[in-house]
Amino acid sequence: MTNASGVEEQTLTLPSEQEVEKLRAAEATWSLSFTLNGESVELMVDPTETLYDTLRERLRLIGTKGACLEGECGSCTVLLDGKPVTACLVTSPQVQGRTVVTVEGLAKDDRLHPVQESFIACGAVQCGYCTPGLIVSAAALLAHNSTPSVEEVREALEGNLCRCTGYTKIIDAVLEAAGDEPAVMSVGGEK
Amino acid sequence: MSSGPPIRRRPTGPVRPGQQPQVNVIGRSIRRFDGKGKVTGETPFGGDLAGPEAYTALVIRSPHPHCEIEDVELAAARAIPGVVAIFTGDDIGGTNRHGLIRRDQEVFSRRARFMGDCLGLIVAATPKIAQRALEAVKVSYKELPIVATMDDALAEGSYPLHETGNVLSTELIRRGDADSALAESDVVVNTETRTQCVDHAFLDREAGMAYMEDGVVTIYASGQWIHEERRLVALALGLPQERVRIIQPATGGAFGGREDISIQIYLGLAALKLDHPVRIEYTREESMIARHKRHPIRIEYTLGATREGVLTAAKVRILSDEGAYASTGPAVLRKAVSHCTGPYRVPNIHADGVAVFTNNNPTGAMRGFGACQLAIAYESAIVELSRVLKIDVVELKRINLLDDGEGVTTDQKIPVVGVRDCMEAALRRIGWDKRSYETPAPHLRRGYGVSTICFGVGYGDGFPDASRARVRMADDGVVEVFTGGVDFGQGLHSLAAQIAAKELGVDPLAVRVVASDTHRTPESGSSSATRQTVFTGNAVRLAASEVAGQLLDVAAAYTGLHWDDLELRGNAIAAKHDIAGHEDRTVVLPLRQAVRLGRERGYALDVESCFKPRTVAKQKGTGKSPRAFITYMFASHVAEVLVDIETGEVKVARIVAAHDVGKAINPQQVEGQIEGGVVQGLGMALMEEVVSEGGFMKNASFTDYIIPTIVDTPTIEALVIERDDPEGPYGARGVGEPGLIGTPPAILGAIADAIGTQVHETPANAERVWKAIKRSERAGDGASA
């Protein structure tokens, strides 16, 4: 078949769903089990894929964002055994048997974590792309330091880039949350 | 002397849900309604939409900054199991072109003019397979001479990048007789400023999906003007516009970087050809290589003054690097030239601007375009003049800043010029008269800089710029606002809700906003040029107040009261004041009931309005215009820095940013815009620079392209000045861009104050500051020797 300009057109035969499923299954050869947001999960993954991809592509937890995927932006920050890590630099087999908390695990029974609440109240959210990573980092800070100074907030959030807010209202929000109900600061997963 | 306009002081503090006001919603920091979904991570962005069934598309890009493509060998890639299709220019039905001002960029290029040019599109079952296919593609090409710099582009016999040659556009301003005025001036200073190429570095990489629905190509992608993007997609693909639908998901920043087409045409083509969901997500490297950037501009500035410091004339030559394609270049050059004397009274101006093509990244829109580069140049000339005249820079500004009713560069007379109010407020906040030069260590120097800037709002220059909005009462009594304007984080949709709530007397958070969908929402123009608060804000206000008028008529007919005795408040129509039978301003009709009654009586309660203020095209031969822009923003920043004279490192200790926004409809959001702009300006002043060598971008990653972190950033002190704009909604005149524009000149001025000499090239990174210190030391030695 040729098109109007006389060029041979490629024959577009779409692969069947079964074929696509087979191709996908061929990539996922590793059986992974870990604790995610308080629940045990077990699934097949590609052993070379990152925790970022497993969370987003296989478990459809879209709150973990990725602006750079090379550990510079902090948008994909999650808690691994209670400590903040960038999910793009962790391969999924590394979390075998361990505990992961994502931004989706911070709100309890529809009650927002105090940091989530204060980010909205203080105007620390603009585009929102960096927000989940910042909230996870801030929650981790407040879990072990309920009265941080401004400099301690800066130090804890240094790995999280934000391009919209100018950071001023983010610092306001973390300090505001620190003044709030320290009893509910547990983020889970600490060892 | 009056105490000046009111200043709103930080902090506005957190807003708690119980504090949502029912009345006087204008001027209150209403919570943004998209906050909850963003803090929980539930809100989907472009890369979050596609399910596992969607195919993955990947762009084949040029191997070289300037080449004729001889062959793209696809057989090996096509043979890989799971590769669904590979599209090239032979597969596209329309013009195969795009571009905002000139349609000069091919979707699939036969001749690549920069590294981001696209040669083909791979579609595969999984991202991994698509990547394998990309690696199997072989491109053979003939290298063409690379035009790497502006000087190369203008050199005799330079290789023409486009049929029209290497000059994209020229601009000028002629006012009075600058040459004679300079000859007669007591003092004349000359500066040369070089600004760098900057990346938007929004965090949400270009990502989206598309599918076919009832024969309509449905594209989820983030742009800045969905209706224009639909026109461009339809043209490129050869489809009627109604067969293309663009829906904007939540968008992680834009700053001008989403004005040019990115993934929309690729997604549309693949969905159309395959009738199957397709996704695209750029890597960070691809995002930085493919996207347009901020124009690097070289500015030669000659400024004359009397002995007393009164400015007499400016002569300005501007040369702008367009990169490979026109993008918004001509508008950027016009903005640069039309803002070349900033907020100063300069009776004689002679300015020329030239924009030239090179094989670098195309340059286009970025926050403050044109105006921000020129602000660095005119403020540098003012600092130089202050040094030569030995007049304090603030005094020099006080002598020369515009007053109400005076003309800016284009000779447009501005009724409300808030620049003096901004500067005096910023100086008071920083404690200018008592500023200290003490430092904690002998190798540190402290310095202070003051900027005063202006910015024309909207597209201007006669462009038919308009926003439409629709407001409707739903049957359940809920107010619905429809706008095609996109929100990439700045808060436009919350602002639209707030304005409708004000007019209709409801809780802003109860307003339903339907936005950014070419099939459901009216065209609200581009979210750029600091225009949406004024344009879409006014359109929403017009539509909502018309609906409010209809509701009052319904209630008047129902109650027998005069409509003028009634008002909308608290989800009801109520008496404005005590009326017989309605003592204590009682409710006369709940809103839901008024809607039902209105519908029964034939009221649509559904109004679309348009705000389309006219501007006037520039005069040929002079570049002047009585109304180049609908209104002007003014701002003044004061920066305090510490410079390490041994390393050249600069630490910004404080920034105060005072902006006359007319009226802050939502003060918290206004502060957020100023604070965010300031930090982008800090990045431009001190660290950000796209490095290209021979057309190859060298730092396309967040590891190598450095943007400010929270540790680089001081607490920003935003001061909101409110001098009503005559035409803005509730007096508002916008806020988006000036926060960036005011920052680099304030920081550069502070560095000069600290080290006694100016850095004329941005970014003023440690190396450039250190070299300036050494140069000045040598010059000082020479003078004393």
Side-chain angles (χ1 to χ4, degrees):
Chain A
M1 220 173 99
T2 57
N3 69 9
S5 35
V7 177
E8 192 172 337
E9 281 193 357
Q10 55 188 318
T11 35
L12 293 174
T13 325
L14 302 196
S16 70
E17 272 175 44
Q18 290 84 342
E19 282 173 83
V20 171
E21 206 39 61
K22 240 172 89 183
L23 288 163
R24 289 212 174 91
E27 291 177 0
T29 57
W30 181 280
S31 168
L32 176 70
S33 59
F34 66 111
T35 304
L36 175 61
N37 296 332
E39 288 178 24
S40 315
V41 289
E42 253 189 83
L43 74 163
M44 298 301 288
V45 301
D46 178 336
T48 65
E49 81 188 24
T50 62
L51 179 58
Y52 170 84
D53 277 326
T54 301
L55 291 171
R56 292 176 48 85
E57 300 291 322
R58 300 192 191 275
L59 296 163
R60 301 294 296 150
L61 289 178
I62 59 168
T64 300
K65 303 297 186 200
C68 72
L69 305 191
E70 52 186 30
E72 295 289 347
C73 71
S75 305
C76 64
T77 304
V78 299
L79 301 177
L80 181 57
D81 296 336
K83 295 208 169 61
V85 296
T86 47
C88 71
L89 295 186
V90 176
T91 59
S92 293
Q94 285 179 284
V95 308
Q96 177 68 36
R98 300 171 75 179
T99 298
V100 174
V101 176
T102 68
V103 70
E104 287 90 348
L106 292 180
K108 301 270 188 274
D109 307 321
D110 212 35
R111 186 161 165 228
L112 294 182
H113 186 281
V115 175
Q116 292 174 315
E117 190 59 54
S118 69
F119 261 62
I120 303 174
C122 294
V125 179
Q126 285 189 29
C127 87
Y129 196 84
C130 68
T131 305
L134 272 159
I135 283 175
V136 171
S137 293
L141 166 71
L142 296 182
H144 66 81
N145 179 357
S146 57
T147 54
S149 67
V150 170
E151 283 319 306
E152 284 170 329
V153 173
R154 283 211 168 94
E155 204 175 299
L157 303 184
E158 187 182 5
N160 292 83
L161 294 176
C162 167
R163 191 60 159 167
C164 297
T165 66
Y167 300 111
T168 296
K169 294 196 186 316
I170 288 170
I171 294 173
D172 290 351
V174 179
L175 296 176
E176 166 78 11
D180 253 24
E181 312 171 63
V184 296
M185 287 297 183
S186 168
V187 290
E190 294 98 327
K191 277 203 170 156
Chain B
M1 204 178 129
S2 79
S3 57
I7 302 170
R8 197 183 297 277
R9 287 194 166 78
R10 281 200 75 253
T12 44
V15 189
R16 295 175 193 285
Q19 297 175 338
Q20 295 296 351
Q22 289 288 314
V23 289
N24 296 334
V25 296
I26 300 303
R28 297 291 189 92
S29 296
I30 308 297
R31 286 181 163 221
R32 41 192 306 160
F33 67 81
D34 55 350
K36 190 176 176 200
K38 287 176 172 177
V39 299
T40 57
E42 287 159 17
T43 300
F45 291 71
D48 302 329
L49 296 162
E53 76 288 355
Y55 296 150
T56 295
L58 212 55
V59 178
I60 305 167
R61 294 198 189 272
S62 176
H64 190 268
H66 196 194
C67 59
E68 299 271 10
I69 305 302
E70 287 169 337
D71 188 35
V72 185
E73 209 177 294
L74 300 171
R78 282 193 169 128
I80 294 171
V83 172
V84 180
I86 303 182
F87 300 113
T88 65
D90 298 325
D91 301 296
I92 195 163
T95 61
N96 186 36
R97 284 179 169 273
H98 64 90
L100 287 170
I101 291 179
R102 288 186 182 183
R103 314 267 187 256
D104 63 350
Q105 189 169 0
E106 286 179 315
V107 179
F108 297 107
S109 304
R110 294 166 191 91
R111 173 184 167 191
R113 291 179 178 82
F114 84 115
M115 295 297 294
D117 266 325
C118 162
L119 312 184
L121 187 73
I122 293 167
V123 184
T126 73
K128 215 169 170 175
I129 296 168
Q131 187 59 41
R132 219 176 303 144
L134 183 63
E135 285 156 18
V137 171
K138 290 206 171 43
V139 180
S140 44
Y141 57 94
K142 190 178 103 190
E143 287 186 24
L144 298 172
I146 292 172
V147 180
T149 66
M150 294 191 274
D151 293 326
D152 289 353
L154 289 173
E156 190 80 24
S158 70
Y159 197 92
L161 292 178
H162 292 271
E163 281 172 15
T164 49
N166 287 341
V167 173
L168 167 64
S169 65
T170 60
E171 291 288 344
L172 56 76
I173 294 284
R174 297 286 185 269
R175 261 179 74 185
D177 182 351
D179 284 322
S180 307
L182 284 171
E184 290 160 17
S185 296
D186 297 330
V187 182
V188 173
V189 295
N190 293 289
T191 58
E192 184 179 318
T193 299
R194 288 171 188 241
T195 68
Q196 79 275 39
C197 182
V198 180
D199 187 79
H200 311 82
F202 47 67
L203 296 191
D204 176 19
R205 295 169 280 138
E206 290 83 348
M209 71 167 301
Y211 52 81
M212 296 300 292
E213 189 174 32
D214 305 327
V216 174
V217 185
T218 305
I219 301 167
Y220 285 80
S222 291
Q224 292 188 224
W225 183 359
I226 52 169
H227 288 82
E228 178 69 5
E229 287 141 23
R230 176 174 67 172
R231 283 188 279 275
L232 289 171
V233 172
L235 277 170
L237 298 182
L239 294 174
Q241 281 192 54
E242 55 275 18
R243 282 197 61 206
V244 178
R245 177 179 185 182
I246 296 188
I247 302 170
Q248 179 125 338
T251 302
F255 320 121
R258 300 190 199 265
E259 285 194 34
D260 287 296
I261 281 284
S262 60
I263 55 175
Q264 294 91 339
I265 299 171
Y266 308 141
L267 282 171
L269 175 71
L272 178 70
K273 290 277 177 178
L274 300 171
D275 192 14
H276 192 279
V278 179
R279 64 191 279 195
I280 291 186
E281 185 169 39
Y282 285 179
T283 62
R284 175 55 55 184
E285 182 186 20
E286 190 177 17
S287 169
M288 293 183 91
I289 284 177
R291 188 176 56 252
H292 63 275
K293 305 272 179 271
R294 182 190 295 290
H295 291 74
I297 299 187
R298 199 191 302 165
I299 306 127
E300 293 167 23
Y301 211 106
T302 303
L303 187 61
T306 66
R307 210 166 283 112
E308 295 74 32
V310 178
L311 297 180
T312 52
K315 195 159 184 184
V316 190
R317 286 174 49 82
I318 296 166
L319 188 57
S320 175
D321 186 346
E322 272 305 319
Y325 297 101
S327 180
T328 40
V332 176
L333 187 67
R334 166 66 178 163
K335 198 105 187 189
V337 172
S338 66
H339 284 63
C340 74
T341 53
Y344 298 106
R345 189 186 302 112
V346 185
N348 301 286
I349 305 172
H350 181 114
D352 287 294
V354 182
V356 298
F357 288 116
T358 65
N359 289 119
N360 296 318
N361 278 77
T363 46
M366 185 175 175
R367 202 174 195 173
F369 71 40
C372 88
Q373 294 96 328
L374 266 291
I376 294 173
Y378 59 70
E379 291 296 64
S380 173
I382 289 285
V383 167
E384 182 62 13
L385 194 61
S386 149
R387 189 187 67 79
V388 171
L389 284 170
K390 297 185 173 56
I391 298 178
D392 176 72
V393 75
V394 165
E395 284 313 314
L396 195 56
K397 284 171 183 281
R398 283 182 180 136
I399 294 167
N400 291 293
L401 285 172
L402 296 171
D403 286 306
D404 287 359
E406 289 191 298
V408 289
T409 307
T410 55
D411 209 17
Q412 176 178 346
K413 308 286 190 280
I414 311 301
V416 181
V417 178
V419 68
R420 287 173 187 272
D421 307 287
C422 291
M423 184 174 82
E424 299 303 335
L427 292 172
R428 276 196 300 278
R429 167 58 72 93
I430 203 107
W432 183 257
D433 294 335
K434 293 177 193 150
R435 64 192 184 279
S436 160
Y437 285 90
E438 275 176 33
T439 62
H443 65 284
L444 297 177
R445 295 282 184 279
R446 197 179 293 276
Y448 299 82
V450 184
S451 71
T452 40
I453 61 106
C454 66
F455 185 76
V457 171
Y459 273 40
D461 287 320
F463 184 84
D465 200 5
S467 276
R468 290 175 181 76
R470 175 181 168 204
V471 174
R472 174 173 81 171
M473 296 304 303
D475 289 340
D476 57 2
V478 170
V479 176
E480 293 181 330
V481 179
F482 295 75
T483 168
V486 305
D487 191 329
F488 34 72
Q490 82 279 35
L492 171 64
H493 297 164
S494 292
L495 179 105
Q498 199 170 344
I499 289 174
K502 158 73 179 169
E503 297 299 320
L504 290 157
V506 300
D507 178 351
L509 288 183
V511 173
R512 203 180 285 146
V513 179
V514 180
S516 321
D517 177 344
T518 54
H519 267 42
R520 293 185 68 200
T521 59
E523 179 160 0
S524 304
S526 176
S527 288
S528 65
T530 306
R531 61 181 289 288
Q532 287 293 24
T533 296
V534 173
F535 280 73
T536 295
N538 265 324
V540 171
R541 188 186 188 184
L542 288 168
S545 66
E546 169 66 15
V547 171
Q550 291 179 6
L551 286 166
L552 291 180
D553 290 343
V554 170
Y558 175 73
T559 58
L561 297 169
H562 192 273
W563 62 267
D564 198 29
D565 291 328
L566 301 173
E567 67 182 2
L568 287 140
R569 69 165 195 268
N571 279 310
I573 294 147
K576 251 187 203 169
H577 40 74
D578 287 356
I579 311 171
H582 293 278
E583 280 80 11
D584 307 324
R585 305 174 64 205
T586 50
V587 165
V588 298
L589 199 58
L591 209 49
R592 187 191 297 229
Q593 200 185 337
V595 171
R596 189 168 46 77
L597 281 171
R599 292 263 151 77
E600 282 170 14
R601 286 159 197 237
Y603 286 94
L605 302 172
D606 184 349
V607 174
E608 184 175 311
S609 288
C610 177
F611 181 70
K612 189 178 183 179
R614 290 294 186 176
T615 53
V616 180
K618 69 197 171 204
Q619 211 177 72
K620 280 210 171 72
T622 70
K624 296 199 291 188
S625 168
R627 191 169 151 89
F629 296 97
I630 62 160
T631 185
Y632 271 72
M633 265 285 307
F634 294 89
S636 174
H637 292 196
V638 182
E640 177 183 345
V641 303
L642 278 168
V643 183
D644 183 328
I645 55 166
E646 286 170 7
T647 64
E649 272 176 290
V650 177
K651 174 84 187 160
V652 180
R654 268 183 96 181
I655 292 191
V656 177
H659 287 238
D660 180 10
V661 302
K663 173 75 186 173
I665 292 176
N666 184 322
Q668 190 183 66
Q669 285 194 187
V670 165
E671 290 170 0
Q673 283 300 301
I674 295 170
E675 290 160 8
V678 164
V679 174
Q680 288 182 359
L682 186 154
M684 183 178 178
L686 297 179
M687 60 188 81
E688 294 181 34
E689 181 168 25
V690 171
V691 179
S692 291
E693 281 173 24
F696 289 90
M697 181 174 172
K698 293 293 187 186
N699 56 344
S701 74
F702 276 180
T703 310
D704 299 318
Y705 185 89
I706 305 299
I707 65 173
T709 70
I710 198 167
V711 172
D712 300 315
T713 306
T715 297
I716 314 297
E717 298 165 65
L719 304 181
V720 176
I721 313 289
E722 297 181 312
R723 293 190 62 199
D724 280 6
D725 188 84
E727 287 178 74
Y730 317 101
R733 60 167 68 84
V735 67
E737 296 172 85
L740 191 155
I741 301 167
T743 304
I747 292 176
L748 293 168
I751 295 170
D753 188 38
I755 65 173
T757 187
Q758 288 203 67
V759 179
H760 292 289
E761 191 169 359
T762 53
N765 53 26
E767 185 187 337
R768 290 195 178 111
V769 173
W770 187 85
K771 281 183 177 162
I773 293 168
K774 293 298 151 193
R775 217 172 22 244
S776 136
E777 280 173 7
R778 278 197 305 274
D781 290 346
S784 62

